[in-house]
Amino acid sequence: MSFIVAIDGPAGSGKGTITKLVGKKLNLINIDTGAMYRCASLYMIRNNIKLDELDKISEMLKNIKIEQANINDVDKFYLNSEDVSDMIREKEVNEIVSQVSHIPIVRERMVELQREMGKNDNIIMEGRDIGTNVFPNADVKIYLDASAEERANRRLKQNDQKGIEMSYEEILENIKFRDNNDKTSPVAPLKQAEDAIYLDTTHMVIEKVVEEIVKIVNEKRK
Ligand code: DC
């Protein structure tokens, strides 16, 4: 039986970085489910498939192959064997990924793929609905959160490093808008699983959050 750690939480809660570090420390395969929705979005952009073209989307879901690999400590994503790691973070993808992730047939297929990944390996999977929907019986469930203001600050720092110009106010407004969208979505709304451990990282450094989760997982694994 595989061991499954589910990490959920809103945008900017630090899920990506933390999942990667915990996975490395505990020898768990790290899976970024947001990247899977990003790959599907990129495929739709490239093939000019519109959000309401369900026949074409259904055809795409039969043909699409999404893989994740860790190469020299860098997570790589492959769409039908092509390395698309950078392309899935570009603006065009950012603009439609949330809508793509809310198309029920896309979600169904991605969830199916995610469950397959957890069949034989010990994994740590991050997303929005991992503890509530993908793996309701996960061994450990963590819900990471932070205040909208702190998440905006973190995003501002990341943007500065990448040379992206956006004001703090603009980022904060965007985060609040996305939170509301994610939490009120009729399809897989973001919410904490009843049996998830809630971690508010607003005043915690990354190392401390990682240490805390490692401790929780080790307790459970005993
Ligand atoms: O974590 P991210 O920004 O890469 O996620 C991209 C989009 O996919 C985001 O709009 C939320 C959505 N998503 C989802 O609906 N369910 C998941 N399990 C992961 C991401």
Side-chain angles (χ1 to χ4, degrees):
M1 273 265 284
S2 49
F3 189 88
I4 294 173
V5 180
I7 311 272
D8 291 299
S13 57
K15 290 188 309 278
T17 314
I18 288 160
T19 299
K20 212 172 148 178
L21 291 168
V22 174
K24 206 170 162 195
K25 279 205 170 186
L26 296 175
N27 213 9
L28 300 166
I29 295 177
N30 144 35
I31 298 164
D32 173 357
T33 58
M36 298 172 70
Y37 291 100
R38 288 173 178 275
C39 285
S41 306
L42 180 64
Y43 186 99
M44 287 174 62
I45 293 168
R46 284 178 165 180
N47 293 282
N48 204 14
I49 302 175
K50 303 279 169 278
L51 292 162
D52 58 357
E53 291 183 316
L54 294 182
D55 286 351
K56 289 187 185 171
I57 295 173
S58 166
E59 205 47 41
M60 161 186 91
L61 294 170
K62 284 185 205 142
N63 301 324
I64 199 169
K65 191 171 87 187
I66 298 170
E67 292 158 301
Q68 179 174 346
N70 190 278
I71 314 279
N72 298 331
D73 219 19
V74 179
D75 283 324
K76 294 277 183 195
F77 298 91
Y78 301 90
L79 174 59
N80 292 342
S81 306
E82 177 194 348
D83 181 356
V84 292
S85 315
D86 294 330
M87 275 165 266
I88 58 169
R89 308 285 166 198
E90 281 175 5
K91 193 166 155 258
E92 290 72 18
V93 171
N94 285 342
E95 278 167 3
I96 65 159
V97 63
S98 171
Q99 294 168 78
V100 172
S101 76
H102 288 142
I103 301 171
I105 54 171
V106 173
R107 270 212 104 74
E108 259 166 45
R109 180 68 187 135
M110 295 300 142
V111 168
E112 198 175 80
L113 291 172
Q114 288 153 15
R115 289 188 179 141
E116 273 169 29
M117 292 170 181
K119 265 193 186 149
N120 303 313
D121 292 308
N122 295 332
I123 61 170
I124 181 163
M125 184 175 275
E126 58 128 326
R128 305 288 196 282
D129 61 338
I130 312 306
T132 49
N133 179 37
V134 183
F135 291 115
N137 297 320
D139 298 276
V140 176
K141 295 183 191 179
I142 307 282
Y143 188 89
L144 283 181
D145 206 357
S147 70
E149 289 72 18
E150 171 60 18
R151 288 183 285 130
N153 262 323
R154 292 176 188 171
R155 185 54 45 90
L156 184 69
K157 276 187 205 149
Q158 281 172 357
N159 283 357
D160 278 350
Q161 283 163 5
K162 291 183 192 162
I164 301 170
E165 274 185 42
M166 239 174 124
S167 71
Y168 171 80
E169 287 71 25
E170 227 177 323
I171 298 174
L172 182 60
E173 198 182 319
N174 183 268
I175 282 188
K176 286 185 175 168
F177 176 79
R178 273 179 66 171
D179 278 359
N180 189 46
N181 257 354
D182 285 348
K183 287 178 182 165
T184 57
S185 162
V187 182
L190 170 68
K191 70 172 202 286
Q192 183 186 344
E194 270 175 27
D195 50 351
I197 296 168
Y198 180 87
L199 277 183
D200 182 348
T201 71
T202 306
H203 304 292
M204 285 168 92
V205 292
I206 284 175
E207 294 74 18
K208 185 75 194 146
V209 183
V210 171
E211 192 184 301
E212 193 77 15
I213 299 178
V214 166
K215 208 166 82 189
I216 294 168
V217 174
N218 281 338
E219 273 303 306
K220 185 81 194 193
R221 263 179 155 178
K222 262 185 199 166

